[in-house]
Amino acid sequence: MCSSDLETTIMTVSDDPTDGDGLLAAMQEYFASYAVEAAVVRAEGRPSDAILDQVQRTGADLLVMGAYGQKRLASFFLGSTTKAVVEDAGIPVFLYH
């Protein structure tokens, strides 16, 4: 498969519509250097729900996501985005920590 055949989406989940603008632009630029056009999607709400909705909506066959941990007690009470996504994605999930 040629890299130009890839459909790539960069997603951020935040209540702030400008959160991560510089990083998102840098990521798009990086993908473009390999002839991969990457769309940017911004979502609000519970991160695991937003990510899983996007996976389902696009029919993705691979998810790459950062896995930034919360404190153990917070994860116990609030749940873990990483855990929820890995358990429910239904596709391979590549984690970067």
Side-chain angles (χ1 to χ4, degrees):
M1 174 183 273
C2 175
S3 63
S4 61
D5 295 336
L6 296 175
E7 291 183 29
T8 304
T9 302
I10 303 166
M11 181 178 187
T12 183
V13 182
S14 175
D15 294 331
D16 178 354
T18 61
D19 193 23
D21 281 349
L23 179 59
L24 294 170
M27 290 175 72
Q28 275 187 303
E29 212 172 285
Y30 177 80
F31 280 112
S33 72
Y34 289 95
V36 175
E37 186 177 331
V40 171
V41 171
R42 296 174 182 276
E44 294 179 5
R46 186 172 175 209
S48 58
D49 291 341
I51 293 166
L52 293 170
D53 287 347
Q54 182 68 19
V55 164
Q56 190 172 48
R57 189 174 26 259
T58 61
D61 55 11
L62 174 67
L63 173 63
V64 179
M65 66 179 274
Y68 303 106
Q70 297 176 353
K71 299 247 185 239
R72 188 170 293 183
L73 188 58
S75 289
F76 178 77
F77 287 109
L78 302 174
S80 163
T81 297
T82 304
K83 182 180 179 200
V85 169
V86 169
E87 287 178 350
D88 296 333
I91 60 172
V93 180
F94 181 84
L95 300 173
Y96 179 79
H97 179 68

